[in-house]
Amino acid sequence: ILIFSVFGLLIFIQGWYPVVIVDSEIIWRGTLNKATQAALTYYQKKGALIKSENTKEIQGAILDKLIENMLISKKLDEINSPEALTQIQEMVTKYNNLLNLDSAAALAYNLTLKEFYDLILFPQAQREWLEKKLAEENQKLEDWLIKTKQAANIIWIIKRD
């Protein structure tokens, strides 16, 4: 029993438990914590004073963004276009060439390059690609996100503030 208790405590501390399930895809507490900490670091380095009540707002906005990223990624999987993936990778490469991302990610967000890529860069490139694709079909990304969120099966494991 002691071993299971210690193991359970380690799982909890490390954030290895789900906070939201979106169409059978899991957003883990550790991912949410890492993204929240990155945003807080960014704002603090910009000179913002962040109150504890603002932290909850920031975390809520980040959780919404993670849900949107998951839905966008799912849509791109449905499109299943090698051309789309190539274009998204080209966007990422362009961003990488414009900035010294390794040091920028560490300085501005306190993230490794891989964490920055996974949490910010690749999802943003996917978002921009889908926004362009929807615009070609005379649709707006925000409208698509509203409809898609309403249709998605979102299960909140934690209480949403």
Side-chain angles (χ1 to χ4, degrees):
I1 293 180
L2 180 62
I3 292 172
F4 287 117
S5 298
V6 170
F7 184 68
L9 183 60
L10 284 173
I11 287 174
F12 184 78
I13 290 171
Q14 292 297 319
W16 295 334
Y17 60 94
V19 290
V20 176
I21 302 173
V22 181
D23 291 336
S24 75
E25 297 287 325
I26 297 172
I27 296 175
W28 299 96
R29 169 57 84 180
T31 302
L32 177 59
N33 288 348
K34 180 60 89 172
T36 301
Q37 193 56 49
L40 292 174
T41 299
Y42 175 80
Y43 289 129
Q44 288 167 346
K45 295 212 175 178
K46 290 283 192 183
L49 296 173
I50 300 169
K51 299 176 183 172
S52 61
E53 60 267 15
N54 294 12
T55 302
K56 283 193 179 278
E57 287 178 35
I58 290 169
Q59 189 171 52
I62 289 169
L63 190 52
D64 284 342
K65 189 78 155 182
L66 290 172
I67 291 169
E68 289 176 1
N69 291 348
M70 199 169 269
L71 294 170
I72 289 168
S73 182
K74 181 181 175 189
K75 176 66 173 175
L76 293 175
D77 287 345
E78 289 171 6
I79 292 172
N80 192 22
S81 165
E83 178 183 299
L85 185 57
T86 300
Q87 291 173 355
I88 290 167
Q89 287 295 351
E90 287 172 357
M91 292 168 80
V92 169
T93 302
K94 180 182 81 174
Y95 295 140
N96 199 16
N97 291 339
L98 290 174
L99 307 165
N100 184 356
L101 286 184
D102 201 10
S103 62
L107 287 173
Y109 296 94
N110 196 29
L111 295 173
T112 66
L113 185 57
K114 179 172 178 3
E115 291 168 335
F116 184 76
Y117 177 86
D118 292 344
L119 288 173
I120 298 170
L121 192 59
F122 191 70
Q124 183 61 33
Q126 288 181 312
R127 176 180 291 267
E128 289 175 16
W129 187 90
L130 183 58
E131 186 171 32
K132 202 181 304 181
K133 176 78 170 163
L134 290 171
E136 291 170 3
E137 301 168 2
N138 293 320
Q139 295 183 53
K140 293 183 180 178
L141 178 65
E142 292 308 314
D143 295 338
W144 179 85
L145 282 170
I146 290 168
K147 286 191 294 186
T148 304
K149 281 182 190 177
Q150 290 171 344
N153 183 19
I154 299 174
I155 301 169
W156 295 88
I157 307 299
I158 60 166
K159 180 183 164 209
R160 182 153 197 234
D161 295 323

